[in-house]
mmCIF file of all heavy atoms in Angstrom:
data_model
loop_
_atom_site.group_PDB
_atom_site.id
_atom_site.type_symbol
_atom_site.label_atom_id
_atom_site.label_comp_id
_atom_site.label_asym_id
_atom_site.label_seq_id
_atom_site.Cartn_x
_atom_site.Cartn_y
_atom_site.Cartn_z
ATOM 1 N N TRP F 23 99.427 15.382 8.820
ATOM 2 C CA TRP F 23 98.226 15.981 9.405
ATOM 3 C C TRP F 23 97.594 15.069 10.447
ATOM 4 O O TRP F 23 97.142 15.531 11.489
ATOM 5 C CB TRP F 23 97.242 16.379 8.310
ATOM 6 C CG TRP F 23 97.808 17.486 7.488
ATOM 7 C CD1 TRP F 23 98.388 17.387 6.252
ATOM 8 C CD2 TRP F 23 97.931 18.852 7.877
ATOM 9 N NE1 TRP F 23 98.843 18.612 5.856
ATOM 10 C CE2 TRP F 23 98.579 19.537 6.827
ATOM 11 C CE3 TRP F 23 97.564 19.573 9.006
ATOM 12 C CZ2 TRP F 23 98.851 20.901 6.873
ATOM 13 C CZ3 TRP F 23 97.826 20.948 9.048
ATOM 14 C CH2 TRP F 23 98.467 21.583 7.992
ATOM 15 N N ARG F 24 97.556 13.791 10.170
ATOM 16 C CA ARG F 24 97.014 12.854 11.166
ATOM 17 C C ARG F 24 97.878 12.877 12.428
ATOM 18 O O ARG F 24 97.357 12.823 13.541
ATOM 19 C CB ARG F 24 96.939 11.440 10.594
ATOM 20 C CG ARG F 24 95.789 11.258 9.627
ATOM 21 C CD ARG F 24 95.724 9.829 9.086
ATOM 22 N NE ARG F 24 94.568 9.655 8.247
ATOM 23 C CZ ARG F 24 93.375 9.239 8.676
ATOM 24 N NH1 ARG F 24 93.199 8.941 9.940
ATOM 25 N NH2 ARG F 24 92.357 9.125 7.838
ATOM 26 N N GLU F 25 99.191 12.980 12.256
ATOM 27 C CA GLU F 25 100.098 13.046 13.401
ATOM 28 C C GLU F 25 99.863 14.321 14.204
ATOM 29 O O GLU F 25 99.828 14.288 15.435
ATOM 30 C CB GLU F 25 101.547 12.977 12.937
ATOM 31 C CG GLU F 25 101.931 11.637 12.352
ATOM 32 C CD GLU F 25 103.296 11.677 11.672
ATOM 33 O OE1 GLU F 25 104.024 12.682 11.810
ATOM 34 O OE2 GLU F 25 103.629 10.689 10.988
ATOM 35 N N LEU F 26 99.705 15.447 13.515
ATOM 36 C CA LEU F 26 99.446 16.711 14.208
ATOM 37 C C LEU F 26 98.153 16.618 15.009
ATOM 38 O O LEU F 26 98.117 16.972 16.187
ATOM 39 C CB LEU F 26 99.354 17.867 13.208
ATOM 40 C CG LEU F 26 98.866 19.193 13.798
ATOM 41 C CD1 LEU F 26 99.875 19.762 14.776
ATOM 42 C CD2 LEU F 26 98.546 20.190 12.710
ATOM 43 N N ILE F 27 97.093 16.132 14.408
ATOM 44 C CA ILE F 27 95.800 16.028 15.094
ATOM 45 C C ILE F 27 95.909 15.070 16.274
ATOM 46 O O ILE F 27 95.370 15.333 17.352
ATOM 47 C CB ILE F 27 94.699 15.631 14.096
ATOM 48 C CG1 ILE F 27 94.462 16.802 13.128
ATOM 49 C CG2 ILE F 27 93.415 15.227 14.813
ATOM 50 C CD1 ILE F 27 93.625 16.470 11.916
ATOM 51 N N SER F 28 96.634 13.992 16.112
ATOM 52 C CA SER F 28 96.838 13.052 17.212
ATOM 53 C C SER F 28 97.558 13.730 18.377
ATOM 54 O O SER F 28 97.204 13.544 19.542
ATOM 55 C CB SER F 28 97.626 11.842 16.723
ATOM 56 O OG SER F 28 97.893 10.966 17.776
ATOM 57 N N ARG F 29 98.580 14.513 18.081
ATOM 58 C CA ARG F 29 99.339 15.230 19.119
ATOM 59 C C ARG F 29 98.485 16.259 19.851
ATOM 60 O O ARG F 29 98.749 16.590 21.003
ATOM 61 C CB ARG F 29 100.561 15.917 18.524
ATOM 62 C CG ARG F 29 101.717 14.997 18.268
ATOM 63 C CD ARG F 29 103.005 15.768 18.014
ATOM 64 N NE ARG F 29 102.874 16.889 17.103
ATOM 65 C CZ ARG F 29 103.115 16.833 15.789
ATOM 66 N NH1 ARG F 29 103.493 15.706 15.223
ATOM 67 N NH2 ARG F 29 102.988 17.906 15.041
ATOM 68 N N LEU F 30 97.460 16.787 19.176
ATOM 69 C CA LEU F 30 96.602 17.797 19.798
ATOM 70 C C LEU F 30 95.734 17.208 20.901
ATOM 71 O O LEU F 30 95.223 17.939 21.749
ATOM 72 C CB LEU F 30 95.722 18.480 18.741
ATOM 73 C CG LEU F 30 96.468 19.325 17.709
ATOM 74 C CD1 LEU F 30 95.506 19.818 16.633
ATOM 75 C CD2 LEU F 30 97.191 20.495 18.373
ATOM 76 N N GLY F 31 95.563 15.893 20.903
ATOM 77 C CA GLY F 31 94.835 15.223 21.964
ATOM 78 C C GLY F 31 93.346 15.540 22.004
ATOM 79 O O GLY F 31 92.767 15.621 23.079
ATOM 80 N N VAL F 32 92.733 15.713 20.849
ATOM 81 C CA VAL F 32 91.314 16.036 20.785
ATOM 82 C C VAL F 32 90.517 14.850 20.244
ATOM 83 O O VAL F 32 91.063 13.959 19.598
ATOM 84 C CB VAL F 32 91.067 17.275 19.888
ATOM 85 C CG1 VAL F 32 91.567 18.524 20.560
ATOM 86 C CG2 VAL F 32 91.719 17.094 18.530
ATOM 87 N N ASP F 33 89.226 14.858 20.525
ATOM 88 C CA ASP F 33 88.332 13.804 20.052
ATOM 89 C C ASP F 33 87.754 14.198 18.699
ATOM 90 O O ASP F 33 86.568 14.501 18.576
ATOM 91 C CB ASP F 33 87.209 13.577 21.074
ATOM 92 C CG ASP F 33 86.272 12.462 20.649
ATOM 93 O OD1 ASP F 33 86.705 11.554 19.924
ATOM 94 O OD2 ASP F 33 85.084 12.518 21.036
ATOM 95 N N TRP F 34 88.609 14.234 17.704
ATOM 96 C CA TRP F 34 88.190 14.573 16.349
ATOM 97 C C TRP F 34 88.142 13.305 15.517
ATOM 98 O O TRP F 34 88.955 12.399 15.703
ATOM 99 C CB TRP F 34 89.139 15.575 15.713
ATOM 100 C CG TRP F 34 89.040 16.955 16.291
ATOM 101 C CD1 TRP F 34 88.113 17.426 17.177
ATOM 102 C CD2 TRP F 34 89.903 18.044 16.012
ATOM 103 N NE1 TRP F 34 88.346 18.747 17.468
ATOM 104 C CE2 TRP F 34 89.442 19.154 16.757
ATOM 105 C CE3 TRP F 34 91.022 18.214 15.214
ATOM 106 C CZ2 TRP F 34 90.058 20.407 16.718
ATOM 107 C CZ3 TRP F 34 91.630 19.441 15.165
ATOM 108 C CH2 TRP F 34 91.152 20.529 15.910
ATOM 109 N N HIS F 35 87.198 13.273 14.617
ATOM 110 C CA HIS F 35 87.007 12.110 13.767
ATOM 111 C C HIS F 35 87.600 12.380 12.392
ATOM 112 O O HIS F 35 87.284 13.387 11.764
ATOM 113 C CB HIS F 35 85.521 11.775 13.662
ATOM 114 C CG HIS F 35 84.885 11.609 15.002
ATOM 115 N ND1 HIS F 35 84.992 10.448 15.730
ATOM 116 C CD2 HIS F 35 84.175 12.475 15.768
ATOM 117 C CE1 HIS F 35 84.358 10.601 16.879
ATOM 118 N NE2 HIS F 35 83.861 11.823 16.931
ATOM 119 N N LEU F 36 88.458 11.471 11.961
ATOM 120 C CA LEU F 36 89.110 11.580 10.654
ATOM 121 C C LEU F 36 88.445 10.605 9.690
ATOM 122 O O LEU F 36 87.981 9.544 10.088
ATOM 123 C CB LEU F 36 90.597 11.274 10.785
ATOM 124 C CG LEU F 36 91.353 12.171 11.778
ATOM 125 C CD1 LEU F 36 92.771 11.686 11.956
ATOM 126 C CD2 LEU F 36 91.333 13.611 11.326
ATOM 127 N N ALA F 37 88.441 10.973 8.431
ATOM 128 C CA ALA F 37 87.802 10.158 7.404
ATOM 129 C C ALA F 37 88.862 9.469 6.552
ATOM 130 O O ALA F 37 90.065 9.704 6.714
ATOM 131 C CB ALA F 37 86.917 11.049 6.522
ATOM 132 N N ASP F 38 88.403 8.644 5.640
ATOM 133 C CA ASP F 38 89.316 8.074 4.652
ATOM 134 C C ASP F 38 89.833 9.205 3.771
ATOM 135 O O ASP F 38 89.188 10.253 3.638
ATOM 136 C CB ASP F 38 88.584 7.044 3.786
ATOM 137 C CG ASP F 38 88.220 5.790 4.569
ATOM 138 O OD1 ASP F 38 88.911 5.479 5.560
ATOM 139 O OD2 ASP F 38 87.233 5.131 4.185
ATOM 140 N N PRO F 39 90.978 9.022 3.137
ATOM 141 C CA PRO F 39 91.547 10.080 2.301
ATOM 142 C C PRO F 39 90.679 10.413 1.092
ATOM 143 O O PRO F 39 89.975 9.561 0.562
ATOM 144 C CB PRO F 39 92.891 9.492 1.836
ATOM 145 C CG PRO F 39 93.175 8.362 2.756
ATOM 146 C CD PRO F 39 91.853 7.853 3.226
ATOM 147 N N ALA F 40 90.755 11.672 0.681
ATOM 148 C CA ALA F 40 90.150 12.080 -0.587
ATOM 149 C C ALA F 40 91.081 11.632 -1.706
ATOM 150 O O ALA F 40 92.259 11.326 -1.481
ATOM 151 C CB ALA F 40 89.972 13.597 -0.630
ATOM 152 N N ARG F 41 90.555 11.606 -2.902
ATOM 153 C CA ARG F 41 91.365 11.220 -4.065
ATOM 154 C C ARG F 41 91.920 12.466 -4.756
ATOM 155 O O ARG F 41 91.261 13.508 -4.790
ATOM 156 C CB ARG F 41 90.522 10.414 -5.037
ATOM 157 C CG ARG F 41 90.085 9.067 -4.477
ATOM 158 C CD ARG F 41 89.119 8.355 -5.399
ATOM 159 N NE ARG F 41 89.467 8.487 -6.802
ATOM 160 C CZ ARG F 41 89.900 7.481 -7.570
ATOM 161 N NH1 ARG F 41 90.006 6.271 -7.052
ATOM 162 N NH2 ARG F 41 90.181 7.682 -8.835
ATOM 163 N N GLN F 42 93.124 12.347 -5.275
ATOM 164 C CA GLN F 42 93.769 13.463 -5.969
ATOM 165 C C GLN F 42 92.914 13.957 -7.129
ATOM 166 O O GLN F 42 92.780 15.163 -7.324
ATOM 167 C CB GLN F 42 95.152 13.031 -6.474
ATOM 168 C CG GLN F 42 95.907 14.118 -7.221
ATOM 169 C CD GLN F 42 96.280 15.291 -6.333
ATOM 170 O OE1 GLN F 42 96.755 15.119 -5.220
ATOM 171 N NE2 GLN F 42 96.066 16.494 -6.814
ATOM 172 N N ASP F 43 92.312 13.034 -7.883
ATOM 173 C CA ASP F 43 91.493 13.464 -9.018
ATOM 174 C C ASP F 43 90.234 14.193 -8.552
ATOM 175 O O ASP F 43 89.737 15.091 -9.236
ATOM 176 C CB ASP F 43 91.153 12.302 -9.954
ATOM 177 C CG ASP F 43 90.398 11.164 -9.276
ATOM 178 O OD1 ASP F 43 90.397 11.071 -8.033
ATOM 179 O OD2 ASP F 43 89.814 10.344 -10.015
ATOM 180 N N GLY F 44 89.713 13.853 -7.370
ATOM 181 C CA GLY F 44 88.575 14.577 -6.810
ATOM 182 C C GLY F 44 88.943 15.997 -6.423
ATOM 183 O O GLY F 44 88.166 16.935 -6.642
ATOM 184 N N ILE F 45 90.129 16.155 -5.853
ATOM 185 C CA ILE F 45 90.605 17.493 -5.492
ATOM 186 C C ILE F 45 90.804 18.323 -6.754
ATOM 187 O O ILE F 45 90.369 19.481 -6.821
ATOM 188 C CB ILE F 45 91.906 17.410 -4.666
ATOM 189 C CG1 ILE F 45 91.628 16.745 -3.316
ATOM 190 C CG2 ILE F 45 92.520 18.797 -4.474
ATOM 191 C CD1 ILE F 45 92.867 16.411 -2.506
ATOM 192 N N ALA F 46 91.411 17.737 -7.769
ATOM 193 C CA ALA F 46 91.627 18.450 -9.029
ATOM 194 C C ALA F 46 90.297 18.867 -9.656
ATOM 195 O O ALA F 46 90.166 19.988 -10.170
ATOM 196 C CB ALA F 46 92.430 17.584 -9.994
ATOM 197 N N ALA F 47 89.295 18.003 -9.598
ATOM 198 C CA ALA F 47 87.978 18.333 -10.157
ATOM 199 C C ALA F 47 87.328 19.478 -9.375
ATOM 200 O O ALA F 47 86.695 20.365 -9.972
ATOM 201 C CB ALA F 47 87.081 17.096 -10.154
ATOM 202 N N ALA F 48 87.470 19.485 -8.055
ATOM 203 C CA ALA F 48 86.907 20.565 -7.243
ATOM 204 C C ALA F 48 87.612 21.887 -7.541
ATOM 205 O O ALA F 48 86.964 22.931 -7.650
ATOM 206 C CB ALA F 48 87.011 20.218 -5.761
ATOM 207 N N GLU F 49 88.922 21.832 -7.670
ATOM 208 C CA GLU F 49 89.673 23.048 -8.017
ATOM 209 C C GLU F 49 89.222 23.586 -9.369
ATOM 210 O O GLU F 49 89.019 24.799 -9.526
ATOM 211 C CB GLU F 49 91.168 22.745 -8.049
ATOM 212 C CG GLU F 49 91.769 22.485 -6.685
ATOM 213 C CD GLU F 49 93.225 22.066 -6.749
ATOM 214 O OE1 GLU F 49 93.605 21.302 -7.667
ATOM 215 O OE2 GLU F 49 93.993 22.499 -5.874
ATOM 216 N N GLU F 50 89.039 22.711 -10.316
ATOM 217 C CA GLU F 50 88.591 23.138 -11.647
ATOM 218 C C GLU F 50 87.186 23.720 -11.583
ATOM 219 O O GLU F 50 86.911 24.762 -12.180
ATOM 220 C CB GLU F 50 88.630 21.964 -12.631
ATOM 221 C CG GLU F 50 88.267 22.375 -14.041
ATOM 222 C CD GLU F 50 88.418 21.237 -15.039
ATOM 223 O OE1 GLU F 50 89.174 20.293 -14.776
ATOM 224 O OE2 GLU F 50 87.758 21.319 -16.088
ATOM 225 N N ALA F 51 86.291 23.075 -10.850
ATOM 226 C CA ALA F 51 84.917 23.556 -10.744
ATOM 227 C C ALA F 51 84.847 24.936 -10.089
ATOM 228 O O ALA F 51 84.025 25.771 -10.480
ATOM 229 C CB ALA F 51 84.070 22.562 -9.949
ATOM 230 N N LEU F 52 85.708 25.176 -9.108
ATOM 231 C CA LEU F 52 85.701 26.463 -8.414
ATOM 232 C C LEU F 52 86.592 27.497 -9.099
ATOM 233 O O LEU F 52 86.532 28.679 -8.757
ATOM 234 C CB LEU F 52 86.120 26.286 -6.953
ATOM 235 C CG LEU F 52 85.129 25.469 -6.114
ATOM 236 C CD1 LEU F 52 85.693 25.210 -4.721
ATOM 237 C CD2 LEU F 52 83.775 26.165 -6.032
ATOM 238 N N GLY F 53 87.429 27.060 -10.022
ATOM 239 C CA GLY F 53 88.227 27.987 -10.815
ATOM 240 C C GLY F 53 89.517 28.455 -10.192
ATOM 241 O O GLY F 53 90.080 29.461 -10.619
ATOM 242 N N HIS F 54 90.037 27.708 -9.230
ATOM 243 C CA HIS F 54 91.303 28.094 -8.610
ATOM 244 C C HIS F 54 91.858 26.923 -7.807
ATOM 245 O O HIS F 54 91.105 26.051 -7.372
ATOM 246 C CB HIS F 54 91.130 29.307 -7.693
ATOM 247 C CG HIS F 54 90.129 29.081 -6.604
ATOM 248 N ND1 HIS F 54 90.423 28.421 -5.439
ATOM 249 C CD2 HIS F 54 88.818 29.407 -6.524
ATOM 250 C CE1 HIS F 54 89.340 28.361 -4.689
ATOM 251 N NE2 HIS F 54 88.354 28.945 -5.322
ATOM 252 N N PRO F 55 93.175 26.920 -7.597
ATOM 253 C CA PRO F 55 93.771 25.848 -6.790
ATOM 254 C C PRO F 55 93.474 26.035 -5.306
ATOM 255 O O PRO F 55 93.221 27.139 -4.844
ATOM 256 C CB PRO F 55 95.271 25.984 -7.072
ATOM 257 C CG PRO F 55 95.450 27.408 -7.456
ATOM 258 C CD PRO F 55 94.178 27.833 -8.138
ATOM 259 N N PHE F 56 93.505 24.936 -4.579
ATOM 260 C CA PHE F 56 93.388 24.966 -3.129
ATOM 261 C C PHE F 56 94.780 25.212 -2.541
ATOM 262 O O PHE F 56 95.786 24.871 -3.154
ATOM 263 C CB PHE F 56 92.885 23.622 -2.596
ATOM 264 C CG PHE F 56 91.453 23.296 -2.916
ATOM 265 C CD1 PHE F 56 90.923 22.104 -2.487
ATOM 266 C CD2 PHE F 56 90.628 24.161 -3.630
ATOM 267 C CE1 PHE F 56 89.608 21.764 -2.755
ATOM 268 C CE2 PHE F 56 89.310 23.839 -3.909
ATOM 269 C CZ PHE F 56 88.794 22.641 -3.465
ATOM 270 N N PRO F 57 94.845 25.768 -1.340
ATOM 271 C CA PRO F 57 96.152 25.888 -0.675
ATOM 272 C C PRO F 57 96.781 24.496 -0.511
ATOM 273 O O PRO F 57 96.084 23.499 -0.297
ATOM 274 C CB PRO F 57 95.808 26.487 0.691
ATOM 275 C CG PRO F 57 94.497 27.174 0.498
ATOM 276 C CD PRO F 57 93.770 26.354 -0.527
ATOM 277 N N ASP F 58 98.095 24.434 -0.614
ATOM 278 C CA ASP F 58 98.808 23.159 -0.501
ATOM 279 C C ASP F 58 98.487 22.432 0.800
ATOM 280 O O ASP F 58 98.341 21.209 0.812
ATOM 281 C CB ASP F 58 100.313 23.371 -0.620
ATOM 282 C CG ASP F 58 100.728 23.780 -2.031
ATOM 283 O OD1 ASP F 58 99.950 23.555 -2.987
ATOM 284 O OD2 ASP F 58 101.839 24.321 -2.177
ATOM 285 N N ASP F 59 98.393 23.168 1.910
ATOM 286 C CA ASP F 59 98.092 22.547 3.196
ATOM 287 C C ASP F 59 96.738 21.847 3.180
ATOM 288 O O ASP F 59 96.593 20.748 3.709
ATOM 289 C CB ASP F 59 98.094 23.583 4.324
ATOM 290 C CG ASP F 59 99.489 24.025 4.714
ATOM 291 O OD1 ASP F 59 100.468 23.436 4.216
ATOM 292 O OD2 ASP F 59 99.591 24.960 5.528
ATOM 293 N N LEU F 60 95.743 22.485 2.586
ATOM 294 C CA LEU F 60 94.410 21.883 2.528
ATOM 295 C C LEU F 60 94.432 20.628 1.669
ATOM 296 O O LEU F 60 93.859 19.601 2.046
ATOM 297 C CB LEU F 60 93.382 22.881 1.996
ATOM 298 C CG LEU F 60 91.955 22.348 1.869
ATOM 299 C CD1 LEU F 60 91.407 21.900 3.224
ATOM 300 C CD2 LEU F 60 91.051 23.410 1.235
#
């Protein structure tokens, strides 16, 4: 994803990575999995 955004040539700001356990907790709180791409 960082490579794709870099190739797009835009002035977008990227953050540090999220943690897998944080993603799992968000999925559980919302009651469904996130798309793999997200």
Side-chain angles (χ1 to χ4, degrees):
W23 293 101
R24 284 181 176 269
E25 292 170 10
L26 171 67
I27 291 168
S28 177
R29 281 194 315 266
L30 294 174
V32 289
D33 182 28
W34 289 352
H35 306 279
L36 302 173
D38 291 334
R41 294 173 40 111
Q42 180 66 45
D43 59 342
I45 294 171
E49 290 175 321
E50 184 175 337
L52 294 174
H54 58 82
F56 290 179
D58 291 341
D59 285 353
L60 179 60

